[in-house]
Amino acid sequence: MTRKSKLTDLYIWAVALTGLLVLFTNIPDFQNPRKTLDMVVLAFLVALGEMASVPFVRGRGTVSVSTPVIYTAGVLYGPAAGIWISSLATLRKKDLQLKVPLPIVLFNRGMLAICMELFAMTYRLMGGQFGGLSFPEGVVPFLVAASVYTLANAVLTSVAVSLQLQISLASVWKSNVIWLLPNLFALFPLGALMVLVAQQAGPLVLLLFYMPLLVTKYSLEKYIELRDVYNEMAAALSTAIDARDSYTHGHSERVAEYAALLAKELKLPDEQVEMIRYVALLHDVGKVGIRDSILKKQGSFTYDEYEEMKKHAEIGADILKVMKSLAKGQDWVRYHHERWDGTGFPKKLRGEEIPLGARIIACADSFDAMTTDRPYKEKMSFEEAKKELLRCSGSQFDPKVVEAMIRVIDKHILRK
Ligand SMILES: [Fe+2]
Ligand SMILES: [Fe+2]
């Protein structure tokens, strides 16, 4: 066992055991049958909310209305009720079926108990009253407590992810948390409203808040379905291109993977990384317009044949032009055979005149060509390809892109 994984285990168990301690030192009061029934209703609503949670389109995570219901339980029925409901009513089916490793299940339970304990402490410290949310005085303590709950949740989870995947906390925070926080903070006023409604009309009324969420869930699922169809179509199209030439089998998929890794390494925004992945998948789509006799030719090209082969970049760009969602990337396809020193085709662009997307795809494309067998040459090893990329840095390729590609090869490709 490495030091890192020992540290991860230590952390997971420390959070799990602290949380269990919090849980068992805060036993809810079950004396009053009416209150007990209300707590059961809230626990049921939280469980239902977890089932109806809506996945985020980007990255991991889901949004559900169960967190505001947990706050409702804490404020109206006291910290212990909140802690138990936060920790236990959020158990998912896969946790119960033990499809998730037990330490992780316990970590999550413990973490949620700790978060709710922090919520209750903050709420009390800010002057909030349990048993009912006073309006408007109670709203600020409530909002601050909800922020503490959310941040504690984000921090405890990010540390676990960072330790487990051995990536820096800053990068976990940047890729998984920062963009998520506004979504979660937007739920706080809704949370305050839910507490106020529940204290007037009883917890079951909170079910009404689930309706818009269910509608959102339905439309989001349709959107994801559609996006999957789109992905499959793009993948099918790229396979069709590669299938025309048995030597390039899987070429487009690999170029898409390398280009996306490269774009990420160059710290481009997530949307651009996705766009580069799609466009790279289709970078050779223009080969549909090239005759088989040229495409499948084993020997070297005549001048005319080479001129015709070159046309695939322009044809591909024209195909992308008519695809509304990919039109922005048409120039990346058009210029994926340009060279940094201005000796490429079709326009002999040089340096930064070549769009960055095209420079990225060019590097990914050549790296795959180097490391797979072709009729005219045997494949290079990854180490040899690294040397070749460095040799052509500043002539064929953008030096900054090559530097990033070397890091991508070391971090992702050699490790496979
Ligand atoms: Fe090409
Ligand atoms: Fe290619």
Side-chain angles (χ1 to χ4, degrees):
M1 193 184 260
T2 63
R3 245 187 77 225
K4 277 263 183 195
S5 64
K6 261 190 199 158
L7 195 66
T8 312
D9 282 355
L10 197 72
Y11 175 74
I12 299 276
W13 282 107
V15 172
L17 294 175
T18 312
L20 291 181
L21 192 72
V22 169
L23 200 65
F24 289 106
T25 48
N26 284 282
I27 306 291
D29 175 13
F30 294 118
Q31 303 289 327
N32 182 331
R34 165 86 227 188
K35 274 189 178 174
T36 306
L37 183 67
D38 283 353
M39 285 190 270
V40 171
V41 170
L42 286 168
F44 163 76
L45 287 177
V46 169
L48 193 71
E50 288 296 303
M51 274 192 271
S53 58
V54 178
F56 283 115
V57 175
R58 221 176 95 200
R60 283 185 265 179
T62 53
V63 63
S64 78
V65 281
S66 47
T67 315
V69 181
I70 293 168
Y71 301 153
T72 308
V75 171
L76 297 187
Y77 301 95
I83 288 168
W84 275 62
I85 290 177
S86 173
S87 179
L88 299 180
T90 47
L91 272 164
R92 299 153 303 174
K93 201 168 146 200
K94 56 183 176 187
D95 294 326
L96 296 170
Q97 291 170 334
L98 287 184
K99 283 187 180 156
V100 181
L102 189 63
I104 303 294
V105 176
L106 294 176
F107 167 83
N108 285 327
R109 301 309 107 212
M111 177 194 61
L112 290 166
I114 295 171
C115 292
M116 195 57 204
E117 170 82 329
L118 291 172
F119 173 98
M121 278 164 61
T122 312
Y123 182 69
R124 188 181 291 120
L125 224 81
M126 297 281 299
Q129 304 287 321
F130 292 100
L133 185 71
S134 45
F135 188 81
E137 320 78 270
V139 174
V140 172
F142 176 86
L143 295 179
V144 178
S147 311
V148 167
Y149 180 100
T150 307
L151 286 174
N153 190 330
V155 171
L156 290 170
T157 314
S158 301
V159 172
V161 172
S162 144
L163 284 170
Q164 221 164 21
L165 303 182
Q166 303 196 4
I167 40 181
S168 77
L169 188 58
S171 72
V172 177
W173 194 260
K174 236 162 101 193
S175 55
N176 290 317
V177 183
I178 291 216
W179 63 273
L180 189 70
L181 288 178
N183 294 288
L184 299 173
F185 279 65
L187 278 178
F188 297 165
L190 177 72
L193 184 67
M194 285 168 84
V195 181
L196 290 167
V197 170
Q199 78 189 37
Q200 290 298 320
L204 204 55
V205 179
L206 295 186
L207 208 50
L208 286 177
F209 287 86
Y210 284 55
M211 297 306 163
L213 192 80
L214 289 176
V215 175
T216 313
K217 183 179 164 69
Y218 178 75
S219 43
L220 207 73
E221 275 169 1
K222 286 282 154 229
Y223 165 77
I224 290 171
E225 244 171 62
L226 220 81
R227 193 188 56 177
D228 289 347
V229 170
Y230 182 75
N231 284 344
E232 282 159 15
M233 299 252 290
L237 193 56
S238 76
T239 312
I241 309 156
D242 294 347
R244 285 191 63 201
D245 176 352
S246 59
Y247 272 97
T248 56
H249 177 74
H251 170 68
S252 303
E253 294 260 3
R254 286 190 300 273
V255 173
E257 187 196 335
Y258 300 153
L261 287 169
L262 244 178
K264 237 187 181 158
E265 185 63 38
L266 287 162
K267 308 218 165 10
L268 297 185
D270 284 355
E271 302 90 81
Q272 208 150 351
V273 174
E274 271 317 283
M275 185 74 167
I276 286 184
R277 183 195 300 279
Y278 276 123
V279 174
L281 192 61
L282 298 173
H283 75 280
D284 276 336
V285 68
K287 284 187 178 169
V288 293
I290 308 295
R291 280 177 291 146
D292 267 3
S293 57
I294 295 175
L295 206 60
K296 294 185 171 169
K297 188 165 179 185
Q298 302 272 331
S300 50
F301 291 132
T302 65
Y303 176 83
D304 287 342
E305 285 168 344
Y306 187 51
E307 285 305 303
E308 184 169 345
M309 185 65 177
K310 279 175 167 180
K311 284 186 193 154
H312 80 273
E314 296 264 24
I315 299 172
D318 288 343
I319 293 174
L320 255 69
K321 195 159 60 181
V322 295
M323 297 163 86
K324 204 174 151 208
S325 54
L326 294 180
K328 266 194 244 159
Q330 58 172 299
D331 280 347
W332 305 344
V333 170
R334 180 168 286 116
Y335 302 126
H336 79 274
H337 284 288
E338 295 289 1
R339 293 170 50 117
W340 185 251
D341 59 9
T343 60
F345 65 85
K347 284 270 167 61
K348 293 194 167 22
L349 298 181
R350 64 165 66 228
E352 292 189 355
E353 286 171 1
I354 309 164
L356 179 60
R359 282 179 263 151
I360 289 175
I361 295 174
C363 185
D365 188 21
S366 301
F367 176 73
D368 187 60
M370 290 173 199
T371 51
T372 44
D373 280 323
R374 295 288 164 108
Y376 42 88
K377 61 158 199 59
E378 259 182 38
K379 68 175 179 186
M380 291 181 194
S381 70
F382 289 142
E383 286 299 338
E384 286 167 331
K386 264 165 69 179
K387 279 189 202 134
E388 182 63 13
L389 286 174
L390 286 169
R391 195 181 66 78
C392 301
S393 168
S395 54
Q396 188 175 352
F397 308 115
D398 174 352
K400 264 194 276 160
V401 173
V402 169
E403 266 174 44
M405 189 66 202
I406 301 293
R407 291 197 297 274
V408 165
I409 299 168
D410 289 339
K411 275 199 269 184
H412 304 282
I413 302 172
L414 284 174
R415 275 195 183 184
K416 268 190 181 172

